Amino acid sequence: MNKETVLYVVIALLVGILGTVLVVGVVNKQKPAPATAGIPAGGGSPVDYQQRIAEAEKIVAGDPKNLQAWIQLGNDYFDTDQAQKAINAYGKALELDPTNVNVLTDQGIMFKRVGWFDKAIANFEKAQQLDPKHLQSLYNLGVVYMSDLKQPAKAVKYWERYLELDPMGPNSQQIRTMLEEAKGMAQTPSPQGQLFKK
């Protein structure tokens, strides 16, 4: 392999790993108001999550129109890596409030986690339509296009928009780094179809 190909592979791997870590680490989940009945505040240990999930499930069983309980349930499933259950809980929340950009984004992240990239993109794009300044959905659109769909030119578009909206924010340097890598990859011809000597 030549040096350019090795560099391309290393960058692709790093961006994929970084993107996956960041999607989970930068998530801006909407937390329920403190007045949500029956859902304890705090959290952290698996025992707390199990108890919170059980209590939230009990609340939504008795009051299926409790938006905050559905959101909390989705968030707890999200945090405990129960993607399908999170998707379903966020879906119930979105039935009650289809304009909640944070829930759309969190559900989109869960769609990404299970490999439903088209659904993830649809959620992030809907969040953008509802709130064109929603940074997390812009960020996640870039990640899906870069890491999962291997379309760096599309990632560039979303990350440039992110930096237009928040040029000095806490994640701006990280976005700049990812943007430069995406730009480099978008300009590099794909090595597919080339033969390499051992």
Side-chain angles (χ1 to χ4, degrees):
M1 270 195 223
N2 63 29
K3 289 181 183 180
E4 185 178 300
T5 303
V6 171
L7 180 60
Y8 177 81
V9 170
V10 169
I11 289 173
L13 288 172
L14 289 175
V15 169
I17 291 168
L18 180 63
T20 301
V21 169
L22 293 175
V23 165
V24 174
V26 182
V27 173
N28 180 17
K29 294 190 286 282
Q30 177 180 343
K31 297 296 179 189
T36 302
I39 299 178
S45 75
V47 173
D48 290 338
Y49 278 117
Q50 290 175 359
Q51 180 180 357
R52 286 166 43 142
I53 288 170
E55 289 179 15
E57 287 174 340
K58 191 184 307 182
I59 291 170
V60 297
D63 181 9
K65 294 195 183 287
N66 188 324
L67 174 64
Q68 292 303 317
W70 281 116
I71 292 171
Q72 183 62 54
L73 189 57
N75 289 344
D76 287 340
Y77 286 142
F78 183 114
D79 292 341
T80 56
D81 202 26
Q82 298 181 64
Q84 189 58 57
K85 288 183 177 183
I87 288 167
N88 295 341
Y90 288 140
K92 293 291 189 180
L94 289 168
E95 287 175 13
L96 299 170
D97 180 7
T99 64
N100 190 316
V101 295
N102 292 322
V103 173
L104 279 165
T105 300
D106 289 346
Q107 186 186 48
I109 292 168
M110 293 292 94
F111 283 143
K112 176 192 178 328
R113 188 167 294 164
V114 297
W116 298 343
F117 306 124
D118 56 335
K119 289 184 176 192
I121 288 171
N123 271 41
F124 301 144
E125 287 177 343
K126 184 172 182 183
Q128 275 298 294
Q129 290 169 356
L130 293 167
D131 180 2
K133 294 182 179 182
H134 190 253
L135 296 176
Q136 192 60 43
S137 55
L138 279 172
Y139 171 83
N140 287 319
L141 278 162
V143 169
V144 172
Y145 277 114
M146 181 71 172
S147 300
D148 301 304
L149 300 178
K150 311 299 183 218
Q151 298 178 29
K154 289 186 178 182
V156 166
K157 176 178 103 171
Y158 293 110
W159 288 337
E160 283 178 340
R161 174 76 176 131
Y162 184 107
L163 291 173
E164 286 173 16
L165 294 172
D166 192 26
M168 304 305 285
N171 299 313
S172 62
Q173 186 55 47
Q174 181 178 29
I175 299 292
R176 278 187 187 85
T177 301
M178 292 166 41
L179 177 60
E180 290 307 311
E181 291 172 5
K183 284 180 178 179
M185 292 176 75
Q187 295 173 355
T188 303
S190 173
Q192 294 176 351
Q194 296 181 13
L195 301 176
F196 298 103
K197 291 197 285 185
K198 289 187 178 184

